[in-house]
Amino acid sequence: MSSQRTHASGVKRDRRGRRGRIAAALSVAVAVATVTAACGSDSDSGGGSDTLVIAGWGGSFTAANKEFFYDQFQKDTGIKVTIATPGGGFAAKVAAQRAGNNIEWDLLEAPGGDTSKLVLDGNLERFPESLIKEITPLVADGAIRPGPSEPYYLDHGGTVNLIGCNTKLVKKCPTNPREFWDVKNFPGTRGITANNPIFTSLFALAGDGVQPQQYFPVDVNRAMTALKRIKPNVQVWSTSPAQMQQAVVDGEVAIMQAPNTVLVSAMKQVPQLKLHWDGGLLFDEGWCVTKGAKNKEAAFKFIKWYAEHREAQAKFTEKIYSGTGGRDMQKYLSPEAIENLPINKTGVTLVDGKAGAKQQQELGKALREILVG
């Protein structure tokens, strides 16, 4: 199976909406405040190869990574793996750590939107030539990204932000962003992912009728106007995968915009939950190493180990229907898993991460003002 990019081109729990909005606002505020910080001086990896600190996205995604990758890597190598779950705002938080000369994380499960920003800001370690030589035969063409001349992260994830609808709570489900915004004809409590301003803004544009080829440069005023219009109907502005999933499982929201991995996991407890892929947003994401990481050699060792274990990648995909960077993965996956991969769904758009990264700060500031207003 080729990389997610290749396929796509062919194709704190919170019970009160007010608290959810405040939590999201604070998350975005932190991102906006820190992303502009000046980068501190680079520091060499000073050893520490017996330890690896990983910043995880959280929820079912990080849980699956731990089950199929982290635990076994620790057993195989003796390198102790510690997981932090910042939830979102990876690019801004890494920038803040570098500005303070206090790098806390070695390896990142960088979610979509943040990878391109991390590259743009110069906050990732370049993959060593020796690593590229070792993993190239094991990973899909195009999986080392952004490209051969810029080897900064390895494809892993391929999650899509889409719409999940609980048919037990609503009689009529919105099947695309335009219908999500049509609260009159598709009534029901709503939740919107707010831990990445690019995701949220593009979803708003789609809800306002903008076509994917017109997403960039983002019309900030139009996106924020659309969010203002739907704000009274949004019960939860989620800031972490765990919060998203819990809101769905508890029935706090009937209609949720969230990553497919979150919604697939929620379906195990809410079988009435239906997924609608039309208008879904697919971003680049993957394994990357923080610039100046204390244990960067251990991080690169993990990336090599990951590339060598395609059977483990297949088990990961079978569990949460999220793709990996391995070469010829169709040989390891069941037909059901292949069918349910985001890259094989119609109506999904691969977002231009570089274009989004250029406007991330502006969008974050505008979104924060909407949420706290």
Side-chain angles (χ1 to χ4, degrees):
M1 179 171 296
S2 62
S3 70
Q4 304 295 341
R5 182 200 303 271
T6 303
H7 272 269
S9 63
V11 273
K12 192 161 137 158
R13 180 172 177 176
D14 201 327
R15 295 225 172 249
R16 292 183 294 171
R18 174 66 176 169
R19 289 177 62 190
R21 290 193 291 272
I22 292 173
L26 291 175
S27 176
V28 175
V30 169
V32 171
T34 56
V35 76
T36 57
C39 292
S41 60
D42 296 344
S43 59
D44 248 355
S45 162
S49 60
D50 59 343
T51 301
L52 179 61
V53 181
I54 302 174
W57 185 35
S60 57
F61 189 80
T62 296
N65 280 334
K66 181 179 186 300
E67 179 180 356
F68 299 113
F69 306 126
Y70 304 155
D71 289 349
Q72 191 59 48
F73 173 76
Q74 181 169 288
K75 291 178 183 178
D76 289 352
T77 66
I79 295 174
K80 181 181 179 182
V81 176
T82 301
I83 305 171
T85 51
F90 279 61
K93 291 169 186 175
V94 169
Q97 290 178 21
R98 292 198 65 210
N101 198 26
N102 181 31
I103 307 301
E104 299 177 15
W105 309 322
D106 305 310
L107 183 73
L108 310 177
E109 289 177 4
D114 280 308
T115 47
S116 295
K117 182 62 174 171
L118 286 159
V119 173
L120 183 67
D121 291 345
N123 286 335
L124 295 180
E125 291 282 354
R126 184 186 178 94
F127 285 7
E129 290 296 329
S130 58
L131 175 64
I132 296 171
K133 184 177 180 180
E134 289 173 319
I135 69 175
T136 294
L138 304 173
V139 302
D141 295 337
I144 299 174
R145 300 182 175 172
S149 63
E150 298 179 286
Y152 287 105
Y153 58 101
L154 178 63
D155 180 31
H156 176 67
T159 53
V160 171
N161 267 29
L162 71 161
I163 297 170
C165 179
N166 188 339
T167 58
K168 183 179 179 180
L169 300 179
V170 296
K171 295 181 179 180
K172 189 178 180 182
C173 288
T175 62
N176 57 55
R178 286 293 297 271
E179 293 178 352
F180 187 99
W181 251 255
D182 185 356
V183 297
K184 180 179 180 180
N185 291 312
F186 300 89
T189 53
R190 282 155 164 77
I192 292 179
T193 298
N195 63 345
N196 187 304
I198 303 172
F199 278 117
T200 311
S201 299
L202 295 188
F203 183 57
L205 288 180
D208 202 44
V210 176
Q211 296 302 306
Q213 60 270 26
Q214 299 173 321
Y215 283 163
F216 294 105
V218 174
D219 185 332
V220 181
N221 289 334
R222 184 169 180 176
M224 297 307 125
T225 298
L227 288 171
K228 284 181 182 178
R229 188 166 68 250
I230 202 170
K231 183 179 177 181
N233 301 95
V234 178
Q235 183 73 10
V236 173
W237 298 87
S238 60
T239 58
S240 73
Q243 184 191 11
M244 301 171 200
Q245 185 169 331
Q246 200 64 55
V248 174
V249 170
D250 288 352
E252 185 176 6
V253 297
I255 307 164
M256 184 79 202
Q257 179 249 1
N260 65 291
T261 52
V262 170
L263 296 174
V264 166
S265 295
M267 288 173 68
K268 297 174 182 178
Q269 296 173 270
V270 187
Q272 302 90 350
L273 188 66
K274 302 300 179 184
L275 307 189
H276 300 283
W277 297 84
D278 191 11
L281 300 171
L282 170 65
F283 276 71
D284 269 352
E285 52 193 60
W287 306 114
C288 46
V289 180
T290 308
K291 187 75 170 179
K294 298 180 180 71
N295 308 298
K296 69 178 181 181
E297 296 307 322
F300 288 134
K301 184 176 289 188
F302 172 84
I303 291 173
K304 178 176 179 291
W305 181 95
Y306 167 86
E308 293 171 339
H309 289 76
R310 280 175 281 187
E311 293 87 353
Q313 294 179 43
K315 291 177 181 177
F316 168 88
T317 297
E318 294 280 354
K319 182 159 188 175
I320 63 171
Y321 295 152
S322 184
T324 65
R327 183 177 293 276
D328 298 328
M329 287 306 297
Q330 71 273 12
K331 298 178 181 179
Y332 302 86
L333 296 171
S334 67
E336 179 184 358
I338 293 173
E339 179 184 354
N340 284 287
L341 280 174
I343 53 176
N344 292 328
K345 296 294 185 181
T346 59
V348 173
T349 297
L350 176 62
V351 175
D352 185 341
K354 290 184 179 180
K358 293 175 182 178
Q359 289 187 268
Q360 191 178 71
Q361 181 181 348
E362 178 187 14
L363 293 170
K365 181 180 179 180
L367 178 60
R368 176 173 58 86
E369 291 174 352
I370 293 295
L371 296 176
V372 300

